[in-house]
Amino acid sequence: MTASTREQDPVVLDALVIGAGPAGIGTALALSAVEGLTFGVLERGGVGQTFLEWPEAQTFLTPSFTGNGFGATDLNAVHPETSPAFSLGVDYPTGVQYAAYLRGVAKHFRIPVLTDAEVTAVERVDGGFEVRSARGPARTRSLVWAGGEFHAPRNPRIPGSGLADLARAPQAWMRRSGDVVVIGGYESGIDIACHHIEQGARVTVVDGATPWDAGSGSDPSFRLAPRSRVRLAAARATGRLSLVGSRATGIVRDGEDWAVRIDDGSRLRCSSRPIAAAGYGPGLGPVAQLFAERPDGWPELDEDDQSTIAPGLFLSGPAIRHGGLKFCFVYKFRQRFAHIARIIGERAGKDVGALEAWRAAGMLTDDLSCCGVECAC
Ligand SMILES: Cc1cc2nc3c(=O)[nH]c(=O)nc-3n(C[C@H](O)[C@H](O)[C@H](O)COP(=O)(O)OP(=O)(O)OC[C@H]3O[C@@H](n4cnc5c(N)ncnc54)[C@H](O)[C@@H]3O)c2cc1C
């Protein structure tokens, strides 16, 4: 290779993170603890973009509390030395508040984030990945997808589903009068149902799996969070909330109104478009083809949260699944930031000792067999 072509060689980073939500910023913070590692973050909007898009009335359901000094790191923190409760002065942050926390943390720890840099394509190349974004191409040895799930809401797979408003859309949160029907009764469905009850509407939630029942385990990924249960009890006490344990089978127009068909053959009339709260998919965007799929549709990962078909590509965030374990809350998926950073650091021949601070703060789980223990009472 001549000197002139060598000058044109692109810089190859040790790691590139896509997405500047809690997973992306949290992973980048762990990478920044490994001295000498070259890395950056590409974000299509601004830091915490998803949270800036949250409907105004939506808040966290996992509480924040500054327990850090006693080894109980704030549940919503993405770095061991930070606490949203401390920096924001609230226990259940809104989206705008949490985005402010993420921005503050990224600035304090000088995380290199390139905003307005939507990643549109990722290609495997010799020794790593070529990433194309709105800000141009980049090369990296390791790539971390932290693009989140908020942009991948699931529509219920029923005829007429296009007549529903998705629960993530601002119009679903606008004041509605008369009868409101919500399809889906897990966290998002109960959240928006309680919101409309608080606004004075009559609400029916329909879900054949009856997720509002207690469930058998203590894992909040499989049962409603305490905050949701408290709100649900208050909503029930108004007498304006009905919970229907049936499957929605279709949505039709009914004159000026709408109707949701359910599997016993009856219909639930609604005065406004039904609201679909059917959860979220993995939302892998430009890296979708670089992950194999598990039978349940979630990405297949090795024990290091790495793609089984594209080594060097890691997943950080709520789409992580290992066996029956779900990592869909910040306090869960943050357990893997330092693990991913350690693998990347070790491969680059760096000293990764500083990441032990994550373990000391209860923010590093590398042995997944210890997850999922049930509470005795
Ligand atoms: C409605 C709702 C409520 C929730 N409530 C809680 C809660 O109370 N507590 C909790 O712990 N968890 C909660 N969660 C779980 C939630 O998934 C996580 O808390 C969090 O948003 C996930 O973080 P993330 O960084 O993976 O994704 P996000 O916060 O969505 O961040 C992903 C980032 O990637 C960017 N991005 C996406 N695609 C690209 C691309 N192609 N190129 C560049 N950038 C891209 C996005 O703009 C975004 O900024 C909730 C989730 C939802 C949907």
Side-chain angles (χ1 to χ4, degrees), residues 39-53:
F39 71 97
V41 182
L42 295 177
E43 163 57 49
R44 76 162 149 216
V47 172
Q49 185 60 40
T50 288
F51 292 91
L52 296 173
E53 290 167 22

Side-chain angles (χ1 to χ4, degrees), residues 18-24 42-46 48-51 54 58 60-62 76 117-119 145-151 188 280 286 316-318 328-331 333:
I18 305 175
L42 295 177
E43 163 57 49
R44 76 162 149 216
Q49 185 60 40
T50 288
F51 292 91
W54 267 23
Q58 194 166 309
F60 264 60
L61 53 91
T62 46
N76 300 318
E118 172 153 20
V119 172
W145 172 256
E149 60 188 357
F150 194 65
H151 60 98
S188 302
Y280 293 83
S316 181
C328 53
F329 289 104
V330 172
Y331 78 89
F333 62 70

Side-chain angles (χ1 to χ4, degrees), residues 8 35 157 242 307 309 315 375:
Q8 287 163 12
E35 218 175 308
R157 287 198 195 127
S242 309
S307 163
I309 56 172
L315 174 65
C375 300

Side-chain angles (χ1 to χ4, degrees), residues 101-118:
Y101 158 73
L102 290 177
R103 272 198 311 276
V105 173
K107 187 169 171 208
H108 179 82
F109 290 96
R110 299 195 177 142
I111 299 302
V113 183
L114 201 54
T115 54
D116 300 316
E118 172 153 20

